[in-house]
Amino acid sequence: MTRRWKLIAPLVVWLAIYLLPVPAGLNVNQWHYFAVFAAVITGLILESMPVGAVGLIGLTVAGVGGYIDPDPGKSLRWMLAGFAESTVWLIVGAFVFSIGYRKSQLGRRIALVLVRRLGRNTLGLGYAVAMSDFLLAPATPSNTARSGGIVYPIISNIPRIYGSEPGPTAGKIGTYVMWTAFAATAITSSLFFTALAPNAAALVIAKKTVGVDVSWGQWFIGFAPLGLLLMIVVPLLSYAICRPEVKHSPEISEWAAKELSEMGPMSRNEWIMLVLILLAMFLWIAGSSPDIHVPLLGANFVNATTVVFIVISLMLVTGVIEFADIVGEKSAWEVFFYFTSLLTLASGLNEIGFIKWLANEFAQPLSGLTPSTAMILLVALFFWIHYFFSSITSHAAAVLPVVLAVGSGIPDLPVTTLAMLCMYSLGLMGVISPYATGPAPMYYGSGYIGKGQFWGFGLIFGLLYFAGLLVIVMPWLQMVR
């Protein structure tokens, strides 16, 4: 019954909007296109069917309906345009990087090495957990794969060594370890452009809506003052809030050392994967600066997506992964169809003039406010409305175009700063609820963080992260832009 209701709800939303009177300032075509878009967003929020299927169906309906262009040939070209979007391929490629981490066992080794070296006391263990995510983040675009697939399976073994089980004994050490891991992945998801898949979606929306575009390096530099500070503060704050009973943990280092011993020395594929990831990092940074010349590529500027293809080709040539691994990476191709269809639909709102109309309508109530006040209110809306979303990508697709359009309609408001603050919010807002981001249900369901604790911790850290955006990142962006 629930499944049937979720399938029907998007159709109800579409029909309701379709039948409503067309608002002043819009034509019938624009309003009916919005009805399709709203139905798609509803389907994504309710997860009526696989997200890629929802987006593809919506794109097909919009294309067949001729809402963007009545000419069938031009309508088809519009439908296919998103499949050539470079940022989508960047994320698909980064998913392939995660295959290399997984198959080579490099990701597991990095986490175990940090636990062995920093895990002799509980606070050090918290930093080891956070650093594991930090080191994996630049080349793992799914925080679910990174935190849920690599970090969580390792750290879930730790509490039981001390008799800390889900329930009454969770507070011994389990609550602290689990919450630190979860809070850290929210930070790294915002710190690196390639650490969270929706970052790419948001950047495409920002580029198509208000013309804002940034490189991999510019993204990192813009958030680094807050991101690096939070990586230092969060394990400490988690320690103070969770108050673990166990203060020292030499057994953890011994356990990690045993696991590493069983793994043996670094394999050929681990070494190759490490070199390739360092190469990708170098080329991404080089691509951020036209002053850095890369002779082998014959250009001063290396496109971030080109870097992905270079590294994947080398992974295939060296045998770190096989082509069958790429074909079989289901999550990568789900993201591919999801993003291409959703981003094309979102850009269509701008192409038909709907976003401009919406901006004018919403900007009027804010017209009497100073640009700074209006920007803070818009960022606050974008951040805290995530309580109503279980998908960060759905949130970005539904809310970001509106917020950016409204901001662009307010005189003297720095739209680039607004766009960056909203995009940086995507990773951070994942901390606020047990359903706010992919890894959240996993940590929530571990039993180490109580229901009330999860909501309380989420609010505390959400307030901290949001305050950091306004107090540190906002003035920093105005200085470096």
Short mmCIF file of all heavy atoms in Angstrom, two decimals, residues 440-464:
data_model
loop_
_atom_site.label_atom_id
_atom_site.label_comp_id
_atom_site.label_asym_id
_atom_site.label_seq_id
_atom_site.Cartn_x
_atom_site.Cartn_y
_atom_site.Cartn_z
N ALA A 440 23.85 8.57 7.34
CA ALA A 440 23.12 8.85 8.59
C ALA A 440 22.34 7.64 9.11
O ALA A 440 22.44 7.30 10.30
CB ALA A 440 22.21 10.06 8.40
N PRO A 441 21.53 6.98 8.28
CA PRO A 441 20.78 5.83 8.80
C PRO A 441 21.68 4.72 9.34
O PRO A 441 21.30 4.00 10.27
CB PRO A 441 19.98 5.35 7.58
CG PRO A 441 19.88 6.54 6.69
CD PRO A 441 21.18 7.26 6.88
N MET A 442 22.87 4.58 8.77
CA MET A 442 23.79 3.54 9.21
C MET A 442 24.28 3.81 10.64
O MET A 442 24.25 2.94 11.51
CB MET A 442 24.98 3.46 8.24
CG MET A 442 25.90 2.28 8.50
SD MET A 442 27.17 2.17 7.21
CE MET A 442 26.16 1.90 5.77
N TYR A 443 24.71 5.05 10.88
CA TYR A 443 25.19 5.41 12.22
C TYR A 443 24.03 5.45 13.21
O TYR A 443 24.17 5.05 14.37
CB TYR A 443 25.92 6.75 12.18
CG TYR A 443 27.27 6.65 11.52
CD1 TYR A 443 27.44 6.97 10.17
CD2 TYR A 443 28.37 6.21 12.23
CE1 TYR A 443 28.69 6.86 9.57
CE2 TYR A 443 29.62 6.10 11.64
CZ TYR A 443 29.77 6.42 10.30
OH TYR A 443 31.00 6.29 9.70
N TYR A 444 22.89 5.92 12.76
CA TYR A 444 21.70 5.97 13.60
C TYR A 444 21.27 4.55 13.99
O TYR A 444 20.88 4.30 15.13
CB TYR A 444 20.58 6.67 12.85
CG TYR A 444 19.28 6.81 13.61
CD1 TYR A 444 19.17 7.67 14.70
CD2 TYR A 444 18.14 6.10 13.22
CE1 TYR A 444 17.98 7.81 15.39
CE2 TYR A 444 16.95 6.23 13.90
CZ TYR A 444 16.87 7.09 14.99
OH TYR A 444 15.69 7.22 15.67
N GLY A 445 21.36 3.64 13.03
CA GLY A 445 20.93 2.27 13.28
C GLY A 445 21.95 1.42 14.00
O GLY A 445 21.67 0.26 14.33
N SER A 446 23.15 1.97 14.24
CA SER A 446 24.19 1.19 14.91
C SER A 446 23.83 0.88 16.35
O SER A 446 24.32 -0.09 16.93
CB SER A 446 25.53 1.95 14.88
OG SER A 446 25.47 3.09 15.74
N GLY A 447 22.96 1.70 16.93
CA GLY A 447 22.56 1.50 18.32
C GLY A 447 23.47 2.20 19.32
O GLY A 447 23.19 2.19 20.53
N TYR A 448 24.55 2.81 18.84
CA TYR A 448 25.49 3.48 19.75
C TYR A 448 25.09 4.93 20.04
O TYR A 448 25.59 5.53 20.99
CB TYR A 448 26.90 3.44 19.17
CG TYR A 448 27.57 2.10 19.29
CD1 TYR A 448 27.66 1.24 18.21
CD2 TYR A 448 28.09 1.67 20.51
CE1 TYR A 448 28.27 0.00 18.31
CE2 TYR A 448 28.70 0.43 20.64
CZ TYR A 448 28.79 -0.41 19.53
OH TYR A 448 29.38 -1.63 19.66
N ILE A 449 24.26 5.49 19.19
CA ILE A 449 23.81 6.87 19.39
C ILE A 449 22.30 6.82 19.59
O ILE A 449 21.56 6.43 18.68
CB ILE A 449 24.15 7.77 18.19
CG1 ILE A 449 25.63 7.64 17.82
CG2 ILE A 449 23.80 9.23 18.49
CD1 ILE A 449 26.02 8.32 16.52
N GLY A 450 21.83 7.18 20.77
CA GLY A 450 20.40 7.13 21.07
C GLY A 450 19.60 8.06 20.18
O GLY A 450 20.13 9.02 19.62
N LYS A 451 18.31 7.78 20.07
CA LYS A 451 17.45 8.59 19.21
C LYS A 451 17.46 10.06 19.62
O LYS A 451 17.63 10.96 18.79
CB LYS A 451 16.02 8.04 19.24
CG LYS A 451 15.90 6.65 18.63
CD LYS A 451 14.46 6.14 18.71
CE LYS A 451 14.36 4.73 18.11
NZ LYS A 451 12.98 4.20 18.19
N GLY A 452 17.26 10.30 20.90
CA GLY A 452 17.29 11.67 21.38
C GLY A 452 18.66 12.30 21.21
O GLY A 452 18.78 13.48 20.86
N GLN A 453 19.70 11.50 21.46
CA GLN A 453 21.07 12.00 21.29
C GLN A 453 21.33 12.43 19.85
O GLN A 453 21.92 13.49 19.61
CB GLN A 453 22.07 10.91 21.67
CG GLN A 453 22.25 10.68 23.15
CD GLN A 453 23.29 9.60 23.41
OE1 GLN A 453 23.31 8.56 22.76
NE2 GLN A 453 24.18 9.84 24.36
N PHE A 454 20.89 11.63 18.90
CA PHE A 454 21.17 11.92 17.49
C PHE A 454 20.57 13.26 17.10
O PHE A 454 21.22 14.09 16.47
CB PHE A 454 20.62 10.81 16.60
CG PHE A 454 21.40 10.64 15.33
CD1 PHE A 454 22.19 9.52 15.14
CD2 PHE A 454 21.35 11.59 14.32
CE1 PHE A 454 22.92 9.35 13.96
CE2 PHE A 454 22.06 11.43 13.15
CZ PHE A 454 22.85 10.31 12.97
N TRP A 455 19.32 13.49 17.47
CA TRP A 455 18.68 14.76 17.14
C TRP A 455 19.35 15.92 17.88
O TRP A 455 19.56 16.99 17.30
CB TRP A 455 17.19 14.71 17.50
CG TRP A 455 16.38 13.88 16.57
CD1 TRP A 455 15.94 12.61 16.75
CD2 TRP A 455 15.89 14.27 15.27
NE1 TRP A 455 15.22 12.16 15.68
CE2 TRP A 455 15.16 13.16 14.75
CE3 TRP A 455 15.98 15.42 14.51
CZ2 TRP A 455 14.54 13.19 13.51
CZ3 TRP A 455 15.36 15.46 13.26
CH2 TRP A 455 14.66 14.35 12.77
N GLY A 456 19.71 15.69 19.15
CA GLY A 456 20.35 16.75 19.93
C GLY A 456 21.73 17.08 19.40
O GLY A 456 22.08 18.26 19.21
N PHE A 457 22.54 16.04 19.17
CA PHE A 457 23.87 16.28 18.62
C PHE A 457 23.77 16.94 17.24
O PHE A 457 24.56 17.83 16.91
CB PHE A 457 24.63 14.95 18.47
CG PHE A 457 24.99 14.27 19.76
CD1 PHE A 457 25.44 12.96 19.76
CD2 PHE A 457 24.86 14.92 20.97
CE1 PHE A 457 25.78 12.32 20.94
CE2 PHE A 457 25.18 14.29 22.17
CZ PHE A 457 25.64 12.98 22.15
N GLY A 458 22.80 16.49 16.44
CA GLY A 458 22.63 17.06 15.11
C GLY A 458 22.34 18.55 15.15
O GLY A 458 22.86 19.32 14.35
N LEU A 459 21.51 18.96 16.10
CA LEU A 459 21.19 20.39 16.24
C LEU A 459 22.41 21.18 16.69
O LEU A 459 22.71 22.25 16.14
CB LEU A 459 20.05 20.57 17.24
CG LEU A 459 19.63 22.01 17.52
CD1 LEU A 459 19.17 22.71 16.25
CD2 LEU A 459 18.54 22.06 18.58
N ILE A 460 23.15 20.66 17.67
CA ILE A 460 24.34 21.36 18.18
C ILE A 460 25.37 21.53 17.07
O ILE A 460 25.89 22.63 16.84
CB ILE A 460 24.95 20.59 19.37
CG1 ILE A 460 24.00 20.63 20.57
CG2 ILE A 460 26.31 21.18 19.75
CD1 ILE A 460 24.41 19.71 21.70
N PHE A 461 25.68 20.45 16.39
CA PHE A 461 26.70 20.52 15.34
C PHE A 461 26.18 21.28 14.13
O PHE A 461 26.96 21.96 13.44
CB PHE A 461 27.17 19.11 14.96
CG PHE A 461 28.16 18.54 15.93
CD1 PHE A 461 27.76 18.09 17.17
CD2 PHE A 461 29.50 18.46 15.60
CE1 PHE A 461 28.67 17.56 18.08
CE2 PHE A 461 30.42 17.94 16.50
CZ PHE A 461 30.00 17.48 17.74
N GLY A 462 24.89 21.16 13.83
CA GLY A 462 24.31 21.94 12.74
C GLY A 462 24.44 23.43 12.99
O GLY A 462 24.79 24.20 12.08
N LEU A 463 24.17 23.86 14.23
CA LEU A 463 24.32 25.27 14.59
C LEU A 463 25.77 25.71 14.47
O LEU A 463 26.07 26.81 14.00
CB LEU A 463 23.80 25.51 16.00
CG LEU A 463 22.28 25.45 16.19
CD1 LEU A 463 21.91 25.43 17.68
CD2 LEU A 463 21.60 26.63 15.49
N LEU A 464 26.70 24.84 14.92
CA LEU A 464 28.12 25.16 14.82
C LEU A 464 28.55 25.31 13.36
O LEU A 464 29.21 26.28 12.99
CB LEU A 464 28.94 24.05 15.48
CG LEU A 464 30.46 24.13 15.30
CD1 LEU A 464 31.02 25.35 16.02
CD2 LEU A 464 31.14 22.86 15.79
#
